[in-house]
C-alpha cells in the first residue's frame, strides 16, 4: 500500500499524477460499445512500461511479499460459461470431425447431455495445475438471473463446486453483470446471491467485459463492501492502464480523497492477446508476456493474469502452464486476489 508521503511526492509531478489518477477518463469524448475507455484513445501511449511504479520505487516505495519473494503474480479466472448448449456442442463435434479428431467429436454429444463433464467445467483441473506450481488463484463467478444479457448458468447449480473451491483455499469473487459497474442496486443483488450460494462473504470483484467507469465504479464497489477489485485494465491492449504494476488505493479527483478499496490492476487477458483485439500469434504473445513479467519483477510489482476457464484447452492451456512454469522458476509468489489484498492490508 502506498504511504501518504509517497502519495504526496507523486502529486507534485502533475504529468505522473494525471496518469495515476486517469484524469483523462473523467470526461471521455468517446467510449466503446460497452461503455469502456479504450487504450487507443489514451494519451498515455507506453502502456507496456509501468512509469508510475518506477517513480515510486525510485522514491523509496518498498513492497514486501511472503517469504522474501521479489514479485507477485495474481492469477484470476472469469467464469462466463460452464457448458455449451446442443447447437454449440454440435458445432464443435463437426469441427473436431473435420480436423480428424474423431474421439473428441464423439465426446461433444455426450457433453450436451451430461453437462457435469463438459470441458468448461474444469475448476478442479485448473486448481490441480496451479497447485503443481505452488500457486492458488481467484475464480470470479457470474450471479445473473435468467433473461439477463449473457446469462449462461445458474450460480446455485454450482453450489457444491463453489464450496469445494473454497475448501481448497482458492478465492471466489463476484463477476458483476453488464450493469453492475454502474448500478449499486444490481451490484448488491448479485453480491448477496453469490454469498448466499457460497455461504460466506466475498471480498473480490471483477466486472464482466471489463466494464468500468472511473472513478464511480470504485466508489460503488467500496460502498457495497468489496475489499478489492481487479477490473482495471484495458480490453483492447495488455499492459499497465495507469502506469502501475502495484496494487493501490484509487484517488477520486472529484472528492479529493482516496477510495477505500484496493485496486489490483489487470495486466494480461488471454483473449486480448490471442483472439479478439491484439490478435498476436503464440510466439509474439509469449514474447510480450515474458517482457511484462520481467518488467514487473524488476519493479517488485504484481502482475495480474486473467485466463478464462474456456481458454484452458489445447495450445491456450499450454500457454497458461508456460506462464506458471516461468514465474515458478523466477520464485514468484503466485496467488489469489484475496491473498494480495490481505498482504497489502498488513
Amino acid at each position: 500500500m502506498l504511504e501518504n508521503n509517497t502519495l504526496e511526492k507523486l502529486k507534485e509531478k502533475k504529468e505522473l499524477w494525471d496518469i495515476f489518477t486517469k484524469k483523462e477518463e473523467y470526461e471521455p469524448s468517446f467510449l466503446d460499445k460497452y461503455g469502456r475507455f479504450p487504450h487507443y484513445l489514451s494519451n498515455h501511449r507506453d502502456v507496456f512500461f509501468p512509469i508510475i511504479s518506477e517513480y515510486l520505487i525510485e522514491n523509496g516505495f518498498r513492497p514486501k511479499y511472503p517469504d522474501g519473494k521479489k514479485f507477485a503474480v495474481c492469477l484470476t479466472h472469469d467464469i462466463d460459461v460452464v457448458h455449451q448448449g446442443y447447437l454449440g456442442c454440435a458445432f464443435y463435434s463437426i469441427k473436431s470431425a473435420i480436423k480428424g479428431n474423431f474421439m473428441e467429436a464423439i465426446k461433444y454429444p455426450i457433453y450436451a447431455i451430461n453437462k457435469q463433464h463438459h470441458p468448461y467445467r474444469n475448476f478442479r483441473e485448473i486448481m490441480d495445475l496451479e497447485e503443481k506450481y505452488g500457486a492458488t488463484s481467484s475464480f470470479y463467478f457470474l450471479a445473473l438471473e435468467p433473461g439477463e444479457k449473457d446469462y449462461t448458468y445458474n450460480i446455485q447449480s454450482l453450489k457444491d463446486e463453489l464450496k469445494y473451491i473454497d475448501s481448497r483455499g482458492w478465492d471466489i469473487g463476484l463477476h458483476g453483470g453488464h450493469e453492475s459497474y454502474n448500478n449499486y442496486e444490481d451490484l448488491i443483488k448479485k453480491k448477496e446471491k453469490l454469498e448466499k450460494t457460497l455461504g460466506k462473504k466475498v471480498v473480490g470483484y471483477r466486472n464482466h467485459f471489463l466494464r468500468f467507469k472511473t472513478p464511480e465504479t470504485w466508489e460503488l464497489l467500496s460502498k457495497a463492501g468489496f475489499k478489492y477489485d481487479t477490473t482495471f485494465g484495458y480490453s483492447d491492449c495488455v499492459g499497465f492502464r495507469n502506469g502501475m504494476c502495484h496494487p493501490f488505493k484509487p484517488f477520486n479527483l472529484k472528492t479529493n480523497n482516496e477510495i477505500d478499496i484496493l485496486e489490483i490492476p489487470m495486466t494480461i487477458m488471454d483473449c486480448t492477446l490471442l483472439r479478439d483485439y491484439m490478435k498476436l500469434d503464440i510466439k509474439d504473445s509469449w514474447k510480450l508476456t515474458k517482457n511484462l513479467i520481467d518488467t514487473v519483477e524488476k519493479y517488485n510489482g504484481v502482475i495480474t493474469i486473467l485466463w478464462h476457464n474456456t481458454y484452458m484447452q489445447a495450445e491456450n492451456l499450454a500457454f497458461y502452464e508456460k506462464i506458471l512454469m516461468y514465474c515458478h522458476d523466477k520464485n514468484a509468489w503466485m496467488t489469489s486476489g484475496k491473498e494480495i489484498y490481505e498482504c497489502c492490508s498488513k
Side-chain angles (χ1 to χ4, degrees):
M1 198 79 70
L2 302 184
E3 297 178 356
N4 288 334
N5 59 340
T6 307
L7 205 62
E8 290 303 316
K9 285 183 180 179
L10 189 57
K11 286 182 180 180
E12 295 172 2
K13 302 288 185 179
K14 185 180 183 305
E15 182 179 353
L16 295 182
W17 182 246
D18 288 349
I19 293 172
F20 171 71
T21 58
K22 290 303 287 181
K23 183 179 179 180
E24 65 180 357
E25 297 188 22
Y26 277 64
E27 295 182 4
S29 57
F30 174 80
L31 298 172
D32 72 7
K33 65 179 180 179
Y34 295 109
R36 302 175 301 196
F37 184 88
H39 167 253
Y40 66 79
L41 287 184
S42 176
N43 293 319
H44 176 49
R45 303 311 304 159
D46 193 3
V47 73
F48 300 150
F49 181 73
I51 187 171
I52 307 300
S53 286
E54 178 193 51
Y55 177 80
L56 295 173
I57 292 294
E58 289 177 349
N59 282 272
F61 178 49
R62 296 291 180 267
K64 294 181 180 179
Y65 308 109
D67 302 320
K69 304 282 188 180
K70 189 175 181 183
F71 73 109
V73 184
C74 182
L75 299 170
T76 67
H77 314 286
D78 291 356
I79 312 301
D80 300 334
V81 182
V82 297
H83 55 73
Q84 295 159 311
Y86 291 105
L87 288 177
C89 287
F91 171 79
Y92 281 99
S93 180
I94 295 169
K95 187 177 180 181
S96 297
I98 291 172
K99 289 182 176 181
N101 191 343
F102 297 109
M103 289 299 294
E104 195 69 20
I106 293 170
K107 290 179 182 178
Y108 274 98
I110 299 172
Y111 297 151
I113 298 169
N114 190 344
K115 296 175 181 178
Q116 298 286 337
H117 292 91
H118 195 283
Y120 291 170
R121 199 157 173 155
N122 51 359
F123 318 128
R124 300 185 183 213
E125 290 82 358
I126 292 171
M127 289 188 288
D128 289 344
L129 175 62
E130 292 169 346
E131 190 172 59
K132 175 182 171 182
Y133 294 96
T136 58
S137 65
S138 294
F139 290 86
Y140 301 107
F141 285 90
L142 291 164
L144 302 176
E145 298 290 340
E148 286 193 88
K149 187 175 182 180
D150 290 343
Y151 174 84
T152 61
Y153 61 87
N154 179 356
I155 187 62
Q156 292 159 331
S157 71
L158 298 176
K159 182 176 181 177
D160 290 343
E161 291 287 357
L162 264 61
K163 288 184 176 295
Y164 179 76
I165 292 168
D166 179 64
S167 72
R168 282 185 62 171
W170 269 247
D171 176 34
I172 291 176
L174 178 65
H175 196 35
H178 274 281
E179 305 306 319
S180 304
Y181 79 106
N182 201 30
N183 185 316
Y184 179 73
E185 288 72 23
D186 185 74
L187 183 64
I188 286 293
K189 181 180 179 180
K190 288 173 172 51
K191 182 174 185 283
E192 290 177 348
K193 184 176 182 180
L194 177 60
E195 290 176 339
K196 183 178 180 181
T197 304
L198 179 60
K200 64 187 295 186
K201 295 289 185 182
V202 295
V203 299
Y205 186 84
R206 178 181 286 131
N207 208 89
H208 192 38
F209 272 73
L210 303 186
R211 301 193 75 178
F212 195 90
K213 187 176 182 182
T214 305
E216 284 80 2
T217 299
W218 281 316
E219 294 285 6
L220 289 179
L221 292 173
S222 176
K223 182 180 177 182
F226 288 99
K227 301 302 181 183
Y228 81 86
D229 170 67
T230 183
T231 310
F232 199 65
Y234 289 120
S235 60
D236 61 331
C237 190
V238 301
F240 312 106
R241 182 166 172 169
N242 72 332
M244 285 289 285
C245 67
H246 294 96
F248 62 94
K249 279 198 171 184
F251 194 90
N252 189 335
L253 295 174
K254 294 180 179 180
T255 63
N256 203 36
N257 287 306
E258 274 190 342
I259 304 171
D260 188 21
I261 191 166
L262 185 74
E263 180 60 41
I264 309 172
M266 194 200 69
T267 318
I268 297 173
M269 179 166 66
D270 46 21
C271 55
T272 299
L273 275 175
L274 298 164
R275 187 188 69 190
D276 295 338
Y277 297 98
M278 300 178 76
K279 300 183 187 296
L280 301 177
D281 61 23
I282 291 291
K283 182 179 179 181
D284 287 338
S285 292
W286 175 247
K287 182 178 179 180
L288 179 52
T289 297
K290 181 177 178 295
N291 177 65
L292 291 170
I293 294 170
D294 292 345
T295 299
V296 171
E297 178 188 30
K298 179 180 178 180
Y299 293 105
N300 311 118
V302 177
I303 185 166
T304 302
I305 310 290
L306 163 52
W307 220 257
H308 293 78
N309 60 314
T310 53
Y311 265 71
M312 295 291 182
Q313 317 291 329
E315 64 180 7
N316 294 329
L317 173 59
F319 194 104
Y320 183 68
E321 184 166 9
K322 192 172 183 178
I323 292 173
L324 295 178
M325 190 181 305
Y326 186 71
C327 294
H328 176 267
D329 290 346
K330 282 180 165 289
N331 196 32
W333 181 36
M334 295 188 287
T335 191
S336 67
K338 183 180 180 182
E339 292 286 340
I340 296 287
Y341 160 72
E342 291 175 349
C343 176
C344 291
S345 301
K346 292 178 181 177

